[in-house]
Amino acid sequence: MSEVNTFKFQLEVADQLLLVLMKLKLNLLFDDLARRFGISKSLASKMFNAWMPVLAKKLKDLVAWLPRETIRACCPESFRENYPRTTVIIDCAETFIQRPTNLKTRSETFSNYKSHNTAKYLVGISPHGQIMFISKAFGGRASDKFIVEKSGFLNYLLPGDEVMADRGFTIEDFLFPRRVKLNIPAFTKCKPQLSNEDVTTTRRIAHVRIHVERAIRRLKVFKILSGTVPVSSLKNFDDILIVCSALVNLRSDLIRDVNVDTD
């Protein structure tokens, strides 16, 4: 961590790291952190902002797209039965941000779904629950399809892969040329009711797709992602996403073949 040594903060490196982790996990105010560590509020803020790109650079390899053979070898029984070729399960998550003063930015970040200004990002997990992909943050106005297209996610897919998602991800036109299959719940639009086959398929997908929501809940354990991010901290938000995802991947397995709740 030689990069950090050049910052010459008055705290020991271990205390600097503790301050950063406390901010990520508890989202304490910088006033609070400053009092706890006996430093000024401005120094606490400066220390956090200086560490984030360094930690993101060091930890980004923990958020890695796994080789297909590894994904298949680690595929849990719940996927192996009906969706053995699943490569990744995706969903978008949102974090509240302070209302921007700039009208254009305010419009771009307003989420109709959350009725709030948000930062929105794509999360992709392997069938056994490891976060393999975390996108940069987009404005809350961005659609799921737009984020899939612009985030770089599609570059990781190979012919023969299968992507599992919620019905809001209408991305077949992106996947078909890549010879990638999309598994989503059946649509009820323009249908009086679902067929028995559609009901069964939807239930099967819902049963295993819920694991990406559990992974997002693990991300939101870091209260910096479940609280409201000030506009001044948005410049570091992409690094925060990488660091929190890496720390989630250091936890115990999200999905096991035995009925054990790891949350």
Side-chain angles (χ1 to χ4, degrees):
M1 294 273 184
S2 58
E3 300 98 323
V4 178
N5 293 338
T6 62
F7 298 149
K8 297 179 180 176
F9 294 125
Q10 66 194 61
L11 289 180
E12 295 291 332
V13 169
D15 287 334
Q16 294 179 37
L17 273 173
L18 179 59
L19 181 149
V20 170
L21 292 173
M22 288 173 69
K23 179 63 178 174
L24 291 174
K25 186 66 181 289
L26 305 174
N27 200 23
L28 300 175
L29 297 174
F30 285 118
D31 274 330
D32 189 348
L33 289 168
R35 284 194 299 270
R36 291 170 187 261
F37 287 90
I39 58 177
S40 68
K41 174 186 174 181
S42 61
L43 182 58
S45 175
K46 182 179 179 183
M47 197 177 297
F48 178 79
N49 291 330
W51 268 95
M52 289 319 301
V54 176
L55 286 176
K57 181 180 178 181
K58 296 292 183 182
L59 297 177
K60 66 180 180 180
D61 288 342
L62 292 177
V63 186
W65 194 278
L66 300 174
R68 183 187 283 177
E69 311 78 58
T70 303
I71 295 172
R72 298 285 186 270
C74 298
C75 188
E77 195 65 40
S78 55
F79 282 88
R80 212 173 293 147
E81 184 177 351
N82 296 304
Y83 301 100
R85 299 178 69 84
T86 299
T87 301
V88 62
I89 310 105
I90 59 173
D91 202 359
C92 281
E94 296 184 70
T95 294
F96 284 3
I97 63 172
Q98 279 185 342
R99 190 184 188 195
T101 54
N102 180 280
L103 291 178
K104 182 181 179 184
T105 305
R106 188 186 302 174
S107 172
E108 289 174 346
T109 59
F110 188 81
S111 167
N112 289 322
Y113 179 65
K114 295 290 186 180
S115 298
H116 201 285
N117 294 92
T118 67
K120 187 174 181 180
Y121 41 96
L122 179 69
V123 182
I125 68 166
S126 66
H128 68 282
Q130 179 171 322
I131 298 176
M132 299 198 302
F133 181 86
I134 186 83
S135 75
K136 68 176 185 178
F138 292 79
R141 184 180 174 183
S143 68
D144 296 341
K145 184 173 184 176
F146 178 85
I147 294 175
V148 167
E149 180 184 17
K150 301 299 183 181
S151 64
F153 167 78
L154 297 170
N155 298 331
Y156 290 91
L157 299 174
L158 298 173
D161 283 346
E162 292 188 8
V163 175
M164 185 172 287
D166 197 8
R167 57 171 59 91
F169 285 84
T170 53
I171 56 175
E172 295 95 334
D173 52 333
F174 297 152
L175 302 184
F176 182 76
R178 291 173 166 80
R179 290 184 286 157
V180 174
K181 182 180 178 183
L182 176 65
N183 292 315
I184 59 174
F187 284 92
T188 54
K189 189 175 182 181
C190 301
K191 297 179 183 178
Q193 64 182 39
L194 295 177
S195 66
N196 289 337
E197 182 181 353
D198 284 342
V199 169
T200 301
T201 300
T202 296
R203 284 177 177 169
R204 284 174 176 169
I205 292 175
H207 178 67
V208 289
R209 199 196 67 80
I210 194 173
H211 294 306
V212 72
E213 297 173 10
R214 294 177 63 216
I216 290 172
R217 285 205 300 271
R218 282 190 167 189
L219 269 177
K220 295 293 186 79
V221 164
F222 293 93
K223 291 187 178 179
I224 199 165
L225 296 180
S226 58
T228 301
V229 179
V231 173
S232 60
S233 296
L234 289 178
K235 62 181 180 295
N236 284 320
F237 194 75
D238 293 343
D239 290 333
I240 289 170
L241 289 174
I242 293 172
V243 172
C244 291
S245 298
L247 294 174
V248 166
N249 281 344
L250 290 175
R251 289 187 58 181
S252 57
D253 291 344
L254 180 70
I255 304 170
R256 299 178 182 177
D257 282 334
V258 292
N259 293 321
V260 176
D261 187 4
T262 59
D263 280 334

